[in-house]
Amino acid sequence: MKMNVLKGALATTIILSLVAFTNAIEKKQVDVKESTIRWEGEKLTGSHEGTINLKEGFFLMENGELVGGEFTADMTSIDVTDLEGDSKEKLMGHLRSDDFFGVNNHETARFVINTVAKKGDVYGISGDLTIKGKTNPIAFDLKMNGNTATTNLTIDRTKYDVRYGSNSFFDNLGDKTIYDEFDLAINLKF
């Protein structure tokens, strides 16, 4: 009788070990040098665009399917790509100032995936985005193809205390109005 119980316990342990290893979560590091984050912000009289560097990031995969992840952007790397010379330097300085992203006190922005739902060829992602020390939930679709993940999303900057030039908070801005939302085009390699 004892032998049968021991054999049963051993068999259960082996099966549980195999299942645990089969469903192991794999951490896939993002190649920050090959990945890109492009931004575009609009104002009443036009738009500007540029880049932000990814500092670090990873996806969590289980059985080849996305289950989580975390990403940190280097806000000190904000660059403007549609201007040159003094105009470029002036806008980059303003974006890095406390009027916008306050990079002296908030060097990074962070996104943490909370839930993932597979929707055909894409994943529905929800998580928490932190910019300027303010955290808000955000949801978007992410397409994964091989070792590449891409998404386009729109962020309401005012939720992160980035209110400069917003007609939601200031009156009589006229043609100095800057729209509350900005767009990100993200291409991650891992």
Side-chain angles (χ1 to χ4, degrees):
M1 180 86 167
K2 279 187 177 179
M3 190 55 104
N4 286 339
V5 171
L6 288 175
K7 285 181 183 177
L10 180 60
T12 302
T13 302
I14 291 171
I15 290 170
L16 289 175
S17 296
L18 289 173
V19 170
F21 284 113
T22 303
N23 291 330
I25 294 180
E26 182 181 3
K27 188 175 185 179
K28 298 253 187 184
Q29 292 292 333
V30 172
D31 184 340
V32 297
K33 292 188 190 301
E34 294 296 320
S35 299
T36 59
I37 303 172
R38 300 197 179 283
W39 61 265
E40 181 178 10
E42 291 186 71
K43 55 185 180 177
L44 196 60
T45 58
S47 65
H48 290 292
E49 57 190 45
T51 61
I52 303 168
N53 293 338
L54 190 64
K55 184 175 183 177
E56 60 188 0
F58 61 86
F59 287 110
L60 296 176
M61 308 294 284
E62 184 174 15
N63 295 327
E65 299 291 333
L66 179 63
V67 295
E70 190 172 312
F71 307 89
T72 303
D74 178 3
M75 297 304 288
T76 66
S77 71
I78 293 174
D79 192 19
V80 175
T81 58
D82 67 318
L83 297 173
E84 294 180 1
D86 290 341
S87 297
K88 175 179 178 162
E89 293 302 317
K90 183 177 176 183
L91 181 55
M92 282 190 338
H94 200 196
L95 291 173
R96 292 174 181 171
S97 77
D98 288 337
D99 282 345
F100 283 93
F101 297 103
V103 301
N104 286 337
N105 295 316
H106 306 283
E107 294 181 354
T108 61
R110 184 171 175 229
F111 177 70
V112 177
I113 296 174
N114 292 331
T115 59
V116 178
K118 183 105 186 215
K119 304 184 322 182
D121 292 346
V122 299
Y123 290 95
I125 305 291
S126 69
D128 291 323
L129 177 62
T130 303
I131 300 174
K132 261 184 110 170
K134 306 277 188 246
T135 302
N136 289 286
I138 188 167
F140 56 91
D141 288 341
L142 179 77
K143 183 166 182 142
M144 295 188 88
N145 186 8
N147 65 344
T148 301
T150 57
T151 190
N152 293 303
L153 54 134
T154 300
I155 308 292
D156 181 347
R157 66 188 175 94
T158 64
K159 290 182 177 181
Y160 302 93
D161 201 26
V162 181
R163 298 178 177 174
Y164 182 86
S166 167
N167 67 358
S168 298
F169 294 92
F170 301 100
D171 294 328
N172 302 317
L173 291 171
D175 66 355
K176 303 289 186 206
T177 299
I178 301 169
Y179 299 150
D180 290 346
E181 296 180 332
F182 65 93
D183 297 319
L184 296 176
I186 302 172
N187 186 343
L188 303 174
K189 301 285 188 180
F190 56 96

